[in-house]
Amino acid sequence: FNVVGDLTVNSKSIVPVLSVRATSSLARNSDTTLNADPILQFEAVANSSYHVEIYLLFYCGNTGVDCRLGFSGPTSSAFFAEGVSMASGSAANTIQRCGFTGSHFAVSTNGGADVYNNVIDIAGSTSSQLIKISMDVRIQGTAGTVSLDWGQGTSNGTNLNRNFGSFMKVDKVG
């Protein structure tokens, strides 16, 4: 059978989990504008809450190409990031506590990734990078799209690639 929306069984609400996975890579170059990822996004309903986990794989092959991340959502959305983890080759994970409102992202501690203009900047590397973002999203009275926005931190002709296999898992929790 197919369930669209919420399902109630014996007075218990069962809400489907949304998972979206990139089946192909996406390249951006010479562009520092944060643009919504066409895959890593979801449609949020008004007056609802979500728990979101994003696993972002990216590659640039050039230490001069850094990755800049941000988020966008409907007007009056509130985002609460529980943590950002970075892993690269044998490097240790970097975990940060962060919080952001609307499309403004702020990190309260600087444990490795630099924070600039309400976004996260991650230094370029010649190896693939994995970033995990875990956050809660509260949507107020306006429904709309919640997306991971990304681009280059410094304009460079070398491609910054969001690799296939990156994915977003969304649980509606309220």
Side-chain angles (χ1 to χ4, degrees):
F1 63 91
N2 183 28
V3 176
V4 177
D6 295 347
L7 171 66
T8 302
V9 177
N10 295 331
S11 302
K12 304 271 192 238
S13 180
I14 300 172
V15 182
V17 174
L18 169 68
S19 292
V20 291
R21 181 178 175 272
T23 57
S24 62
S25 295
L26 177 63
R28 294 188 175 151
N29 67 30
S30 301
D31 188 357
T32 59
T33 302
L34 294 182
N35 292 300
D37 190 287
I39 303 297
L40 302 179
Q41 58 180 254
F42 68 97
E43 291 302 314
V45 297
N47 302 310
S48 59
S49 297
Y50 300 87
H51 179 74
V52 180
E53 291 184 7
I54 299 170
Y55 294 83
L56 176 64
L57 298 163
F58 77 92
Y59 176 76
C60 59
N62 181 337
T63 58
V65 181
D66 50 352
C67 179
R68 180 168 282 181
L69 304 174
F71 298 88
S72 58
T75 303
S76 299
S77 300
F79 297 73
F80 306 96
E82 297 168 352
V84 176
S85 301
M86 263 178 16
S88 170
S90 60
N93 289 352
T94 300
I95 300 174
Q96 301 175 334
R97 290 278 178 204
C98 24
F100 46 101
T101 302
S103 61
H104 301 290
F105 190 93
V107 177
S108 59
T109 61
N110 185 357
D114 292 323
V115 181
Y116 180 71
N117 289 341
N118 298 315
V119 296
I120 294 177
D121 280 340
I122 299 161
S125 172
T126 56
S127 61
S128 293
Q129 301 282 325
L130 169 64
I131 301 160
K132 177 189 175 198
I133 301 167
S134 180
M135 66 182 180
D136 293 319
V137 181
R138 173 71 181 138
I139 306 300
Q140 299 297 331
T142 305
T145 302
V146 173
S147 67
L148 169 70
D149 303 338
W150 63 275
Q152 292 182 337
T154 304
S155 183
N156 191 299
T158 302
N159 283 345
L160 173 64
N161 298 291
R162 187 267 294 132
N163 291 346
F164 70 92
S166 296
F167 71 94
M168 174 186 280
K169 180 182 142 201
V170 181
D171 295 298
K172 186 171 182 271
V173 295

